[in-house]
Amino acid sequence: MTDTEREFREVAGLAREAAAELAPLSRAAKDTALIAIAEALVKNTEAIVEANAEDVTRAREAGQPEAMIDRLTLTPQRIESIADAVREIAELPDPVGEVVRGSSLPNGLELRQVRVPLGVIGIIYEGRPNVTVDAAALCLKSGNAALLRGSSSAYSSNTCLVGVMGKALAQVWEDTHVPADAIQLVPGTGRESAQQLMRARDFVDVLIPRGGASLIQTVVRESTVPVIETGEGNCHVYVDAAADVDKAVAITVNSKAQRVSVCNAAETLLVHSAVAQRFLPRVLRELRDLGVTLHGDDRVHAIDDTVVPATEADWATEYLSMDLAVRVVDSLDEAVNHIRQYSTSHTEAIVTDSQSAARRFVSLVDSAAVMVNASTRFTDGGQFGFGAEIGISNQKLHARGPMGLPEMTSTKYVVTGDGHVRD
Amino acid sequence: MTDTEREFREVAGLAREAAAELAPLSRAAKDTALIAIAEALVKNTEAIVEANAEDVTRAREAGQPEAMIDRLTLTPQRIESIADAVREIAELPDPVGEVVRGSSLPNGLELRQVRVPLGVIGIIYEGRPNVTVDAAALCLKSGNAALLRGSSSAYSSNTCLVGVMGKALAQVWEDTHVPADAIQLVPGTGRESAQQLMRARDFVDVLIPRGGASLIQTVVRESTVPVIETGEGNCHVYVDAAADVDKAVAITVNSKAQRVSVCNAAETLLVHSAVAQRFLPRVLRELRDLGVTLHGDDRVHAIDDTVVPATEADWATEYLSMDLAVRVVDSLDEAVNHIRQYSTSHTEAIVTDSQSAARRFVSLVDSAAVMVNASTRFTDGGQFGFGAEIGISNQKLHARGPMGLPEMTSTKYVVTGDGHVRD
């Protein structure tokens, strides 16, 4: 066993034990612990900013781009808003204990399916140190121990934040019995420590990667722990023959340009040929005015010869930038086939006034979210009213789409009888 | 690409396409297809029995034990009951389309979370050829294409059964539009073909192993497709200090001996010391009369010196035989700790008349099913009123405990607006 392995197993073992202690605790206990964490973060602002400064200095010395340094930096104001987010999580309902299904069986047995925590949730993430607190708070609220593996670039910040949270938990332990070990940082910054986490089937119940496509693909490929795949969004807006053009323009512009670096931003616009002449000139002008580079197929080019010719790669790319691929199709089914071929099954939108077109699109498009006459940007736990989200699942097992607190739980069947035996 | 790989990809590709066609179909279409399958199975009894005879002959020549040959054998009567099971599946409600959650958001968007099929379900299983039909029917009913990899010992039977089902689907296609390709057998009997299935992330949405512990562990270890782990059950009965001794005897005997080869049979009995003198002599006598070999710790031995001394291995073993490990504990918490250490988290039972003991046991024991004053043998989709089950999940993600038709689905968010964009 290497030192890294030994250190990892020690920390993961503590998380495992903490999970067992945490699981049966009441909502009140968990909320008290969360409030204590929020207060401790604010109270320890100075120490947190100091630790963060080490990361920022290292990033500057390594010549990281300014945008990355900005994402990394913690200020007193940002720490205040991180603490506020924890307070908001405390206010959300506790999913644990919810009876999902229940019945009396013919033989008189009482069957209840009850939400329980998953156990230990591993989270591998990049960049922003606020994720450290956010993920830990969501895990704690849902009764799970958190085993966090942040970016090496934020290691000093993350170490300090986890330390502050652990001390806060220890201070209210007598009231709450929430174990201080419930929030753990995977020790070390090397690749080996991430691999430990991905192989820790005995310690970790689920692994959630949060970050870019390459991080997520690495985790999916290398992890033997069950993974919930999040994030990649090659999202489409389809403007149907029966679309209201005003709504179509507004939805397309909002889906593309309201915020471009996020997974629910649109990357490809598909336009029915029957509406292309009326719709495309307007939407392309608006998008161009906002600074969007347009990549069109031949038929788009025939309407607007200033578009960049689209290649196969454009259809397949999640730009996350001020770029949009545009294609004219001759039917809803052609749009659906395009989506089937290129989509990452995150979010697709149809703009139409036709009931039958909407129904067919919803039924044939196999994505986590399908929007009818609404922007793709609405696929979001906050927008859906979940109060918070740990990520947006791109997969079909366990959770699909925005994952709130209930998606961070499993269930247990509780069956109550009075000496019942099976015939 | 090897021949096996090419053949596999062809078949898996057909399943993938069939899944897309199957997903939007109505319950009526799927039920008509299922009835057609049931009728075709009965009508083709002779051909099925003939194909099965090849497998049986091969098994006899290989000197397989009589019990295994019995499990393999199909008779006209067994085929009739396989067909009846398909008809029963047709009568179950369709999980697809069920609205799991729904609300109107503050901005007027209408949010619905709707059940949709998973897509392609891979099933790796052993022995009995009835699983071929049962799994295919459950997949079809839940709108999923089935990619089946049965035991090589049943390959002739399985090929014939899948052929009969495919032809039945083709014959009613004009009425149902259920694609004949929705039920596929992985070609070949070698290890390589199973590995193809376990690596087919592009084609298969989930893989469900059905069979013994070694099969399941192999699939969990080697599969890059998400797996739902099923089956292993090292189940415990804990007889509390406050137990009614009559009920405790009945529940223990039923949990152990009603049927021993199944995952929900009890393998270890934990007895509170306060009740041991009253309870153990009675239950051990009854169990011994039924032919159960008892493996006891020192304190059990002190009460009944005919028990075999229990070793560490006894606590960890899923006997699946007429054996029971027995241990005396001094508290409920000691029982819980024993269970935490050795259980496979399938089913544990407490026998007690104490509300607080029951509550504490239910809250601390982290298993798919926790029985209060009822036999462990009740953990079963049929007993739970699910109508059918594809297996009993031992894991926490996606589905836990008996998996019925709803557990064979995912969900999709459908969001309907009227030109809604995000601020």
Side-chain angles (χ1 to χ4, degrees):
Chain A
M1 209 185 282
T2 65
D3 281 356
T4 317
E5 200 172 339
R6 207 182 345 264
E7 280 175 41
F8 174 81
R9 292 179 70 89
E10 193 184 317
V11 161
L14 292 173
R16 176 92 275 167
E17 283 171 35
E21 290 172 45
L22 194 50
L25 297 183
S26 68
R27 172 176 175 173
K30 292 183 282 186
D31 289 354
T32 303
L34 287 168
I35 300 298
I37 284 174
E39 282 170 10
L41 289 169
V42 175
K43 219 161 116 188
N44 290 279
T45 294
E46 209 173 312
I48 296 167
V49 169
E50 215 165 277
N52 181 249
E54 293 172 27
D55 290 329
V56 171
T57 304
R58 224 180 305 120
R60 281 202 199 284
E61 282 169 7
Q64 294 288 349
E66 209 46 48
M68 193 272 176
I69 287 170
D70 179 57
R71 279 202 296 275
L72 182 61
T73 303
L74 291 175
T75 62
Q77 201 187 342
R78 284 185 179 179
I79 293 167
E80 186 67 65
S81 74
I82 290 171
D84 284 345
V86 175
R87 289 191 190 98
E88 279 168 29
I89 289 169
E91 278 167 29
L92 293 174
D94 185 351
V96 173
E98 189 198 341
V99 178
V100 176
R101 165 155 66 175
S103 62
S104 285
L105 302 179
N107 58 8
L109 278 178
E110 288 163 21
L111 178 73
R112 278 180 300 143
Q113 185 182 16
V114 184
R115 280 202 192 285
V116 296
L118 283 165
V120 176
I121 298 185
I123 298 176
I124 295 193
Y125 54 103
E126 288 168 337
R128 301 173 189 253
N130 67 313
V131 175
T132 306
V133 179
D134 188 50
L138 288 169
C139 286
L140 202 163
K141 177 79 190 198
S142 52
N144 295 291
L147 193 50
L148 306 167
R149 210 285 180 179
S151 160
S152 57
S153 66
Y155 193 67
S156 301
S157 315
N158 291 343
T159 305
C160 179
L161 289 167
V162 169
V164 167
M165 291 191 282
K167 266 183 221 142
L169 293 180
Q171 271 167 10
V172 293
W173 187 85
E174 294 222 351
D175 286 344
T176 65
H177 287 234
V178 172
D181 291 333
I183 303 171
Q184 297 287 342
L185 194 66
V186 173
T189 57
R191 191 161 161 60
E192 210 198 328
S193 75
Q195 280 172 332
Q196 295 292 341
L197 180 55
M198 291 191 268
R199 306 274 157 85
R201 269 190 82 87
D202 295 346
F203 294 106
V204 184
D205 294 285
V206 60
L207 193 52
I208 304 176
R210 280 177 68 161
S214 97
L215 169 77
I216 290 162
Q217 285 314 312
T218 303
V219 173
V220 166
R221 208 172 45 242
E222 296 191 8
S223 182
T224 56
V225 174
V227 173
I228 295 183
E229 212 175 321
T230 62
E232 264 184 283
N234 184 14
C235 303
H236 297 71
V237 174
Y238 165 61
V239 175
D240 185 51
D244 174 305
V245 169
D246 290 340
K247 289 175 191 163
V249 171
I251 287 169
T252 305
V253 170
N254 189 261
S255 297
K256 174 70 251 177
Q258 197 249 357
R259 197 167 159 206
V260 296
S261 63
V262 288
C263 58
N264 57 17
E267 309 292 9
T268 294
L269 171 64
L270 301 168
V271 182
H272 194 289
S273 50
V275 79
Q277 293 286 354
R278 279 184 297 140
F279 168 67
L280 273 178
R282 273 187 57 189
V283 78
L284 297 183
R285 192 181 330 116
E286 278 206 31
L287 287 164
R288 197 174 282 120
D289 288 350
L290 289 165
V292 176
T293 303
L294 300 157
H295 308 255
D297 73 349
D298 291 348
R299 297 171 77 179
V300 176
H301 196 263
I303 290 170
D304 180 338
D305 64 4
T306 68
V307 301
V308 181
T311 65
E312 180 69 16
D314 285 298
W315 311 128
T317 299
E318 183 186 12
Y319 294 118
L320 297 172
S321 64
M322 279 296 223
D323 291 84
L324 182 69
V326 188
R327 185 180 163 186
V328 173
V329 294
D330 284 321
S331 67
L332 184 146
D333 282 28
E334 198 185 329
V336 167
N337 287 337
H338 180 103
I339 288 168
R340 278 211 187 131
Q341 190 172 351
Y342 296 106
S343 168
T344 55
S345 299
H346 186 296
T347 302
E348 331 297 337
I350 181 173
V351 187
T352 187
D353 272 348
S354 156
Q355 270 288 348
S356 66
R359 188 180 154 100
R360 187 165 175 83
F361 189 84
V362 165
S363 141
L364 294 181
V365 167
D366 184 26
S367 297
V370 183
M371 303 286 165
V372 178
N373 296 323
S375 168
T376 58
R377 291 276 295 116
F378 284 112
T379 304
D380 173 273
Q383 294 293 321
F384 279 11
F386 300 170
E389 74 176 28
I390 187 81
I392 297 179
S393 164
N394 243 2
Q395 64 175 41
K396 290 189 177 174
L397 277 189
H398 185 71
R400 198 176 191 207
M403 293 175 64
L405 292 167
E407 283 72 27
M408 297 173 75
T409 65
S410 181
T411 60
K412 174 200 277 186
Y413 285 101
V414 179
V415 184
T416 309
D418 187 27
H420 283 65
V421 297
R422 199 163 152 186
D423 294 332
Chain B
M1 208 184 282
T2 64
D3 280 356
T4 318
E5 201 173 337
R6 206 182 346 262
E7 281 175 41
F8 174 80
R9 293 179 69 88
E10 192 185 316
V11 160
L14 292 173
R16 176 92 275 166
E17 284 171 35
E21 292 172 45
L22 194 52
L25 296 183
S26 68
R27 171 174 178 176
K30 292 183 282 187
D31 289 354
T32 304
L34 287 168
I35 300 296
I37 284 174
E39 281 169 10
L41 289 169
V42 175
K43 219 161 115 188
N44 290 278
T45 294
E46 209 173 311
I48 296 167
V49 169
E50 217 165 274
N52 180 250
E54 293 172 27
D55 290 328
V56 170
T57 305
R58 224 181 304 120
R60 281 203 198 284
E61 282 168 9
Q64 293 289 348
E66 208 46 47
M68 192 273 175
I69 287 171
D70 179 56
R71 278 202 297 276
L72 181 61
T73 303
L74 291 176
T75 62
Q77 199 187 343
R78 285 185 178 178
I79 293 168
E80 186 68 64
S81 74
I82 290 171
D84 283 344
V86 175
R87 288 190 190 97
E88 279 169 29
I89 290 169
E91 278 168 29
L92 293 174
D94 186 349
V96 173
E98 188 197 342
V99 178
V100 175
R101 168 155 65 175
S103 62
S104 286
L105 301 178
N107 59 8
L109 278 178
E110 288 164 21
L111 179 74
R112 280 181 298 143
Q113 185 182 15
V114 184
R115 280 201 191 285
V116 296
L118 283 164
V120 176
I121 298 184
I123 299 175
I124 296 194
Y125 54 103
E126 288 168 336
R128 299 173 191 253
N130 66 312
V131 174
T132 304
V133 178
D134 188 51
L138 288 168
C139 287
L140 202 162
K141 178 79 191 198
S142 52
N144 296 291
L147 193 49
L148 306 167
R149 210 285 181 181
S151 161
S152 58
S153 65
Y155 193 67
S156 300
S157 314
N158 291 342
T159 305
C160 179
L161 289 167
V162 169
V164 167
M165 291 191 281
K167 267 184 218 141
L169 293 181
Q171 271 167 10
V172 293
W173 187 86
E174 294 223 352
D175 287 344
T176 66
H177 288 230
V178 171
D181 291 333
I183 303 171
Q184 297 287 341
L185 194 67
V186 172
T189 56
R191 192 163 159 58
E192 210 198 327
S193 75
Q195 279 171 334
Q196 296 292 341
L197 180 56
M198 291 192 267
R199 306 274 157 86
R201 269 190 82 86
D202 295 346
F203 294 106
V204 183
D205 293 285
V206 59
L207 194 52
I208 305 176
R210 280 177 66 161
S214 98
L215 170 76
I216 290 162
Q217 286 313 314
T218 302
V219 173
V220 166
R221 207 171 47 242
E222 296 191 6
S223 181
T224 57
V225 174
V227 173
I228 295 183
E229 212 174 320
T230 61
E232 264 184 282
N234 185 12
C235 304
H236 297 72
V237 173
Y238 165 60
V239 175
D240 185 51
D244 174 305
V245 169
D246 290 340
K247 289 176 192 165
V249 170
I251 287 169
T252 305
V253 169
N254 190 261
S255 296
K256 174 68 250 179
Q258 196 249 357
R259 199 168 157 203
V260 296
S261 62
V262 288
C263 59
N264 58 16
E267 309 292 11
T268 293
L269 170 65
L270 301 169
V271 181
H272 194 289
S273 51
V275 78
Q277 293 287 355
R278 277 184 299 140
F279 168 67
L280 273 178
R282 270 187 60 189
V283 78
L284 297 183
R285 193 180 331 115
E286 277 207 31
L287 287 165
R288 197 174 282 121
D289 288 351
L290 289 166
V292 176
T293 303
L294 300 157
H295 308 255
D297 73 349
D298 291 347
R299 297 171 77 180
V300 176
H301 195 264
I303 291 170
D304 179 340
D305 63 5
T306 68
V307 300
V308 181
T311 65
E312 181 68 17
D314 285 299
W315 312 128
T317 299
E318 183 186 12
Y319 293 118
L320 298 172
S321 63
M322 278 296 224
D323 291 84
L324 182 69
V326 189
R327 184 178 163 188
V328 172
V329 294
D330 283 321
S331 66
L332 184 146
D333 282 28
E334 198 184 329
V336 167
N337 286 337
H338 179 103
I339 289 168
R340 278 212 186 130
Q341 190 171 351
Y342 296 106
S343 169
T344 55
S345 298
H346 186 298
T347 301
E348 329 299 337
I350 181 173
V351 187
T352 188
D353 272 347
S354 156
Q355 270 288 349
S356 66
R359 187 180 154 100
R360 187 164 175 83
F361 189 84
V362 165
S363 141
L364 294 181
V365 168
D366 184 26
S367 296
V370 183
M371 302 287 165
V372 179
N373 295 325
S375 167
T376 58
R377 291 276 295 115
F378 284 112
T379 303
D380 172 273
Q383 294 292 321
F384 279 12
F386 300 170
E389 75 176 28
I390 187 82
I392 296 179
S393 164
N394 241 3
Q395 64 175 41
K396 289 189 177 175
L397 277 189
H398 186 72
R400 197 175 190 208
M403 294 175 62
L405 291 167
E407 283 72 26
M408 296 173 76
T409 66
S410 181
T411 60
K412 173 199 278 185
Y413 285 101
V414 179
V415 185
T416 309
D418 187 28
H420 283 67
V421 297
R422 200 163 152 185
D423 293 333

